Amino acid sequence: MEVKIEPSWKALLAEEFDKQYFKDLVAFVKAEYASHTVYPPGNQIFNAFDHCPVDDTKVVIIGQDPYHGPGQANGLCFSVAEGVRMPPSLQNIFKEINNDIGTDLPPHGSLVRWAKQGVLLLNATLTVRAATPGSHQGKGWEQFTDAAIKALAEEKDNLVFILWGAYAQKKGAIIDTNKHLVIKSAHPSPFAAHRGFFGSKPFSKTNEYLLKYHKKIIDW
């Protein structure tokens, strides 16, 4: 099946695109876009991969669903486009960055600059129906993103996986902690952030690990 995705990911995940579950997923997603409002825009579904080729990837942050409000989702987990109000979880992420490494709060919530530095911002489910969280779960996206995480973890050494909350931690259970750094904490949402996200210092821990393996640090 022909899939418009960044070439190195296309090569790494080639087997997935020919599997029946993925063909069924594509049919479902096309039907949803044809009959409902679905986010992100169709040309941004694979943005996480398109902005972050395999060889450039140093850090993986795993989210769950895309944002389901107008203009929010842009294919990168936790990110919103410039000019869009920052959701609470993203505000808390920036607060922790400020507390962790002293970086000032940014003027907008776009995380494209992280992706360009090698941070794969991967939601488990890559599409969602407007105002209907979870609507595209269990349709095949999770199998696809599991395959991406597994292939990346096997292909590369000394990556950092940042797993916020129980869902991401369950999804990251396949990662070899002898080969990669896995950072776990509570989710940055307002419901959980005070239960272990604030003060977890994932950003400085990531950069310390990257330095240890002679990789360029992330400008958070």
Side-chain angles (χ1 to χ4, degrees):
M1 175 173 283
E2 186 64 26
V3 177
K4 293 180 180 179
I5 192 172
E6 192 277 330
S8 64
W9 283 105
K10 190 170 188 174
L12 187 65
L13 299 172
E15 291 183 5
E16 298 304 309
F17 300 133
D18 289 327
K19 292 180 178 178
Q20 189 59 48
Y21 88 86
F22 192 83
K23 294 175 183 178
D24 293 343
L25 170 63
V26 169
F28 167 77
V29 170
K30 284 182 176 178
E32 283 286 291
Y33 274 92
S35 56
H36 300 280
T37 300
V38 177
Y39 301 125
N43 63 355
Q44 296 180 5
I45 291 172
F46 293 112
N47 254 3
F49 301 100
D50 293 340
H51 282 309
C52 195
V54 173
D55 284 347
D56 294 347
T57 302
K58 297 182 285 190
V59 181
V60 181
I61 298 177
I62 298 175
Q64 191 165 352
D65 259 11
Y67 294 123
H68 56 268
Q72 292 182 307
N74 61 5
L76 307 174
C77 72
F78 295 104
S79 175
V80 292
E82 293 186 34
V84 177
R85 184 180 179 185
M86 290 187 209
S89 291
L90 185 56
Q91 293 180 35
N92 286 340
I93 288 169
F94 286 133
K95 287 177 185 175
E96 177 60 16
I97 291 173
N98 178 253
N99 292 332
D100 185 3
I101 56 180
T103 301
D104 290 337
L105 300 180
H108 59 77
S110 173
L111 303 182
V112 170
R113 64 184 188 87
W114 291 7
K116 295 292 189 185
Q117 296 177 77
V119 182
L120 181 67
L121 294 159
L122 185 63
N123 275 316
T125 305
L126 300 189
T127 55
V128 68
R129 192 185 292 185
T132 316
S135 51
H136 288 190
Q137 290 178 8
K139 303 298 183 181
W141 278 131
E142 294 92 340
Q143 186 172 341
F144 174 72
T145 52
D146 278 349
I149 293 165
K150 185 173 186 288
L152 182 68
E154 291 174 351
E155 177 82 5
K156 299 195 58 141
D157 295 323
N158 309 127
L159 299 173
V160 181
F161 290 85
I162 299 176
L163 309 178
W164 290 325
Y167 184 91
Q169 289 165 27
K170 184 178 180 182
K171 193 168 182 70
I174 58 173
I175 299 161
D176 184 352
T177 55
N178 294 313
K179 189 179 179 184
H180 305 289
L181 175 64
V182 177
I183 298 173
K184 300 178 183 180
S185 79
H187 194 276
S189 80
F191 304 106
H194 290 283
R195 300 201 298 266
F197 173 74
F198 288 132
S200 61
K201 300 186 180 297
F203 308 101
S204 60
K205 288 175 182 176
T206 294
N207 281 347
E208 287 166 8
Y209 185 82
L210 293 177
L211 280 175
K212 180 180 176 181
Y213 289 97
H214 311 290
K215 297 182 181 185
K216 188 174 181 181
I217 64 172
I218 305 300
D219 177 12
W220 300 106

